[in-house]
Amino acid sequence: MARPKNHHYVPVHLQQAFASNPQGQASCFDKHTRKSCLTSPTNVLSETYFNDLVIEHEGTEYIASYEDFFSDLEAKYQPALKAVVEGAKLQ
């Protein structure tokens, strides 16, 4: 399985709760060009290999990635978060 490259520091499912339109797009503003646009949450609030830790030891490079851990964790709490957003009460 290929290692994911684009790691979100704000999970996509959280971003989708703030979507600007029914297609799930988010409004983005570029402060340098002073222009705004709509984009998919998969394109924002992320960095290349953000959750990877690169360790070099005796000339060999090792990569410890936390991306799978965070993805699994997000999958576990996502149903509860969805229930809260939709107005259900937690017991």
Side-chain angles (χ1 to χ4, degrees):
M1 184 169 142
R3 197 169 112 231
K5 182 178 179 178
N6 191 29
H7 300 178
H8 287 85
Y9 44 86
V10 176
V12 172
H13 68 270
L14 290 178
Q15 295 181 55
Q16 289 170 338
F18 298 94
S20 300
N21 63 24
Q23 291 77 30
Q25 294 176 312
S27 293
C28 292
F29 179 74
D30 185 329
K31 65 182 181 180
H32 300 291
T33 63
R34 302 191 56 80
K35 293 183 180 184
S36 61
C37 66
L38 290 174
T39 188
S40 168
T42 58
N43 298 329
V44 294
L45 299 173
S46 65
E47 297 272 341
T48 302
Y49 300 119
F50 182 75
N51 293 317
D52 285 1
L53 176 64
V54 179
I55 302 165
E56 194 171 315
H57 178 69
E58 295 180 356
T60 303
E61 192 174 88
Y62 300 92
I63 299 171
S65 181
Y66 298 97
E67 182 65 14
D68 290 339
F69 170 79
F70 288 129
S71 293
D72 291 344
L73 181 65
E74 291 161 11
K76 289 177 183 172
Y77 75 74
Q78 194 171 359
L81 180 65
K82 184 177 179 182
V84 170
V85 170
E86 293 175 353
K89 293 181 181 178
L90 294 178
Q91 296 181 3

